[in-house]
Amino acid sequence: YDWRAAEKQLNALPHYTIGLRGLKTHFIHARSARDDAIPLLLVHGWPGSIVEFLEVIPKLVGKGFHVVVPSIPGYAWSEAPKERGAGVPFMAAHLHALMLALGYNHYGAQGRDW
């Protein structure tokens, strides 16, 4: 495994954090140059991370998508929930809040095993 190559891929993408529902949430937000770009939420599985999407993010942006890839709460650079019960409904509401905060009322979503 070439960590320096992976680090270079990670650093080439625009990373952000936002306070959402009381938690610091990390995400990549790679925007297409197209005015009619479709927002697309990519969610990693468990265990997993945003690294799963490093190869596909630039391709999707090039095809006309605004790509949002969060580190789900409790993983990588996102703060862990402080209370029990952070299951599927919690994650869905949290990630929907992220998309709304970014101004996306309508978007496509891809999810893994979480």
Side-chain angles (χ1 to χ4, degrees):
Y1 183 76
D2 185 349
W3 168 245
R4 291 298 176 201
E7 184 178 46
K8 186 175 180 180
Q9 280 183 298
L10 280 166
N11 289 336
L13 296 168
H15 295 256
Y16 303 92
T17 58
I18 187 173
L20 277 179
R21 304 172 75 220
L23 298 175
K24 181 182 85 171
T25 302
H26 164 265
F27 61 99
I28 292 170
H29 189 195
R31 296 181 52 87
S32 171
R34 291 180 53 165
D35 291 335
D36 63 344
I38 298 169
L40 181 60
L41 173 67
L42 303 179
V43 184
H44 65 79
W46 178 91
S49 76
I50 60 170
V51 172
E52 297 172 21
F53 301 110
L54 291 182
E55 297 291 329
V56 73
I57 293 169
K59 294 174 185 175
L60 289 168
V61 169
K63 293 287 185 181
F65 292 94
H66 294 320
V67 181
V68 178
V69 186
S71 296
I72 62 174
Y75 291 80
W77 301 284
S78 287
E79 185 177 5
K82 295 167 184 62
E83 299 177 13
R84 295 180 61 104
V88 173
F90 172 89
M91 293 296 173
H94 193 80
L95 298 179
H96 181 62
L98 171 62
M99 295 303 280
L100 292 177
L102 295 175
Y104 301 134
N105 295 320
H106 302 283
Y107 54 91
Q110 181 279 338
R112 302 290 289 232
D113 59 354
W114 181 239

